[in-house]
Amino acid sequence: VCEMEKVMQAYGRIMPGPAGQTAFGGAAVDRDVLTLNRSDPPAFRHLMWTFLTAAFIGERLEVLYVWSATGVVMSRSSLLYGPFSLVWGLGAVLVTWCLWPFRYRGPWVLLLTGGLLGGGFEYVASAAGEAMFHRIFWDYSYMPFHLEGRTNLLFALLWGLGAVLWIYRGFPALTALTDRLPPRVERTALQVISLLLAADTVLSAAAMLRMEERQEGQPAAGPVAAALDRWYPDQVLHSRYQNLMD
């Protein structure tokens, strides 16, 4: 604790108080929260749990947002099966990996860098999805301060705020919770979930690519393509990915 206190004092972030807290405007951050996990960078298993947690919660939040704005319950999942958003999951892993070593530099640093990382990743993910599948998965061109409709200032700020909350509260709580699991149980659970998600990702990508081929008039070339045509025709995919745009 003494060594950690010296580090934080070096950054000028320790403010004396009855509970030994660091100040962020009128709010405060417990030092215990920052020292729950001292690994730099985060352990791979913790990043896996980060991906799973963010992919699930992010997809649920998007469903809630769309429902509150339009009254329509729309799946925002990246996959054919399960409520998981790859963008949220991978974005959370990127933010955690990059910002966890800088958690002692203060929340303003995390807010700024988290916004840049999150907004930049959202832009790259949108461009990559469009290049690969020739589809637009989201379009923010109706919002002010957008960048080619792929990201915008408001959502970048939300990424930054989310990074502050995640690094100071969410990630330490997640690691403390998962560290209670027996190592064999945790390892088996992560292996099984990872295999299922990998298979789901491959299947989802294959179905999307086959839809592109169908629209170009290409017949099924082999039993795999025929099975994709039978199980995942265009109407099934458009029902699953209701926000797809050509």
Side-chain angles (χ1 to χ4, degrees), residues 21-212:
Q21 296 176 326
T22 60
F24 178 29
V29 179
D30 294 330
R31 280 180 293 176
D32 291 341
V33 170
L34 304 181
T35 57
L36 282 174
N37 184 353
R38 302 184 184 184
S39 61
D40 290 321
F44 178 76
R45 62 187 182 88
H46 290 149
L47 292 177
M48 285 294 301
W49 287 119
T50 294
F51 173 83
L52 294 172
T53 302
F56 175 77
I57 293 178
E59 197 275 345
R60 294 290 88 185
L61 287 175
E62 286 199 26
V63 170
L64 181 61
Y65 172 78
V66 172
W67 174 79
S68 64
T70 66
V72 177
V73 178
M74 178 189 300
S75 170
R76 306 293 291 182
S77 176
S78 306
L79 306 175
L80 286 170
Y81 300 101
F84 297 102
S85 170
L86 298 183
V87 173
W88 279 84
L90 293 175
V93 169
L94 176 66
V95 167
T96 305
W97 175 268
C98 293
L99 297 188
W100 181 247
F102 297 98
R103 58 195 180 278
Y104 305 115
R105 298 199 175 185
W108 291 111
V109 173
L110 298 183
L111 181 69
L112 177 61
T113 54
L116 292 174
L117 279 172
F121 175 75
E122 194 171 30
Y123 182 94
V124 171
S126 173
E130 186 175 350
M132 182 177 298
F133 301 110
H134 303 99
R135 293 288 187 279
I136 299 175
F137 290 88
W138 60 84
D139 183 9
Y140 302 140
S141 58
Y142 64 94
M143 300 183 68
F145 306 108
H146 69 86
L147 184 59
E148 298 181 4
R150 304 186 189 281
T151 188
N152 62 79
L153 180 60
L154 174 60
F155 286 173
L157 290 175
L158 291 177
W159 274 101
L161 178 61
V164 174
L165 296 175
W166 176 252
I167 294 298
Y168 283 145
R169 296 295 182 183
F171 186 68
L174 178 66
T175 57
L177 179 64
T178 56
D179 283 347
R180 297 177 182 176
L181 295 173
R184 180 175 296 180
V185 172
E186 181 186 31
R187 183 169 57 252
T188 301
L190 286 177
Q191 288 174 347
V192 171
I193 295 173
S194 297
L195 287 174
L196 291 175
L197 280 179
D200 198 358
T201 302
V202 171
L203 179 61
S204 302
M208 291 289 295
L209 291 173
R210 179 56 194 148
M211 181 173 68
E212 178 71 17

